[in-house]
Amino acid sequence: MTTPFSGGCACGAIRYVCSRSPVAMLNCHCLDCQRSSGAPFASGFIVADSGIEITGAPKTYSVHAGSGAVATRSFCRECGSPLFTRGDANPGFMSVRFPTLDNASEFQPLLDIWTASAQPWVCLNQAIPHYPQLP
């Protein structure tokens, strides 16, 4: 993706600007991502915390992810848009949901993770690697 890039929630209460390129772009099929996205998987990109500036105050909740580590999800308290996920398993990095991008056409997933939890009717892109859990 071209840097810097930006995005935010549906109502505009939360905005972010990323000054660094994503470390990865992926689709996660874990059950927690399915529940939190309301979809068969969540698509997002991973960035270093130091490369993102967030304005606004998202609401958070924490869960035990499939790995056993705590994942803290952030969403807009006004419109409910899912935004960010930070995990104890990867401190210093966060995942940002791709639909929040101002230019979502630049998002290109490079891998699918937690495919062991993928719904059986989901068509996985055979052109990218698939991992049953984390790579």
Side-chain angles (χ1 to χ4, degrees), residues 28 30-43 61 73 82 97 99:
C28 182
C30 78
L31 294 176
D32 184 54
C33 280
Q34 291 177 37
R35 287 184 189 107
S36 68
S37 69
F41 54 91
S43 299
Y61 73 98
R73 298 196 177 274
R97 296 286 177 89

Side-chain angles (χ1 to χ4, degrees), residues 4-5 40 44 80 85 112 116-117 124:
F5 57 92
T85 303
D112 283 288
S117 304
L124 296 173

Side-chain angles (χ1 to χ4, degrees), residues 58-95:
K59 185 161 178 59
T60 63
Y61 73 98
S62 297
V63 297
H64 285 279
S67 65
V70 173
T72 301
R73 298 196 177 274
S74 301
F75 59 95
C76 177
R77 64 182 69 239
E78 300 298 322
C79 66
S81 295
L83 297 161
F84 316 115
T85 303
R86 288 184 172 92
D88 287 350
N90 294 303
F93 292 91
M94 64 189 297
S95 173

Side-chain angles (χ1 to χ4, degrees), residues 1 4 7 11 13 15-17 27 40 42 44-45 51 53-54 60 74 76 80 84 87 89 110-111 121 127 129:
M1 290 195 305
C11 73
R15 296 286 304 158
Y16 63 84
V17 175
N27 300 316
F45 53 94
E53 182 179 324
I54 300 169
T60 63
S74 301
C76 177
F84 316 115
L110 302 174
L111 65 153
W121 43 265

